[in-house]
Amino acid sequence: MNENNNRKQNKGGRKAKTDPSIHRHVFRLTDEENAKLLSLFEASGMPNKAKFIIFLLFGKEMKSVKIDKGTVDFYMRLTSFHSQFRSVGVNYNQIVKLLYKNFSEKKAAAFLYKLEKQTAEMAMLCQKIIQITEEFEAKHLKK
């Protein structure tokens, strides 16, 4: 019977931490401060608010990615426009081949003259688009 009493009883549960967090601090925030804290917490992607606050307090490295929906939308539209611009170039080459194949030199040259005017307008439009894109990058992307 003494042998049974000398053994430590296993209480069960998880193992105790060597350095448990026993100190508790409470602070109050205004609505504005709370909203800012919650938005930073959501942006961090951390699963635990307490660990997030500890990371902020002690300056441990924390990564936060902010996605600007306007910039993403601009990028998507610009990509879409670029693909349309490429398809116009392909169509342009096909038209020139068909003109010389199906029409006489004189008639094909007359149609190409009209096409050349439209191409010049499109080149001016392309220059404006490049200018707008550069302005957008300068204002919004390179912070």
Side-chain angles (χ1 to χ4, degrees):
M1 195 130 189
N2 282 341
E3 291 177 17
N4 289 338
N5 289 338
N6 289 341
R7 273 194 278 158
K8 292 183 180 178
Q9 286 187 339
N10 185 5
K11 293 183 180 179
R14 67 179 174 187
K15 295 180 183 177
K17 294 180 180 178
T18 56
D19 187 20
S21 301
I22 58 172
H23 302 284
R24 180 181 177 142
H25 298 276
V26 177
F27 58 95
R28 298 186 186 280
L29 301 172
T30 64
D31 288 337
E32 183 180 320
E33 293 168 339
N34 187 49
K36 188 173 182 180
L37 178 72
L38 291 177
S39 67
L40 288 172
F41 171 66
E42 289 173 4
S44 72
M46 294 183 79
N48 188 335
K49 248 189 254 184
K51 288 184 180 180
F52 169 73
I53 292 171
I54 290 170
F55 275 116
L56 286 178
L57 286 175
F58 296 117
K60 295 182 180 177
E61 186 177 340
M62 181 186 67
K63 294 180 182 177
S64 176
V65 177
K66 186 175 180 181
I67 298 173
D68 184 10
K69 294 196 185 260
T71 304
V72 172
D73 186 43
F74 176 77
Y75 177 76
M76 294 301 291
R77 289 177 188 260
L78 190 62
T79 304
S80 169
F81 180 75
H82 183 264
S83 65
Q84 290 175 4
F85 192 75
R86 286 182 53 188
S87 66
V88 166
V90 171
N91 291 342
Y92 187 90
N93 289 339
Q94 291 173 351
I95 288 173
V96 170
K97 285 181 185 178
L98 287 173
L99 283 175
Y100 279 112
K101 183 178 176 184
N102 295 328
F103 295 103
S104 66
E105 280 286 320
K106 196 173 187 180
K107 209 168 197 180
F111 285 127
L112 282 176
Y113 179 72
K114 291 179 183 178
L115 187 60
E116 190 177 331
K117 284 184 180 179
Q118 296 297 320
T119 304
E121 288 180 25
M122 197 162 110
M124 288 175 41
L125 181 64
C126 187
Q127 290 297 325
K128 287 181 183 178
I129 291 168
I130 290 171
Q131 180 185 4
I132 290 170
T133 303
E134 289 173 353
E135 288 175 11
F136 182 81
E137 284 179 356
K139 287 181 182 177
H140 300 286
L141 297 181
K142 297 178 182 177
K143 290 184 178 179

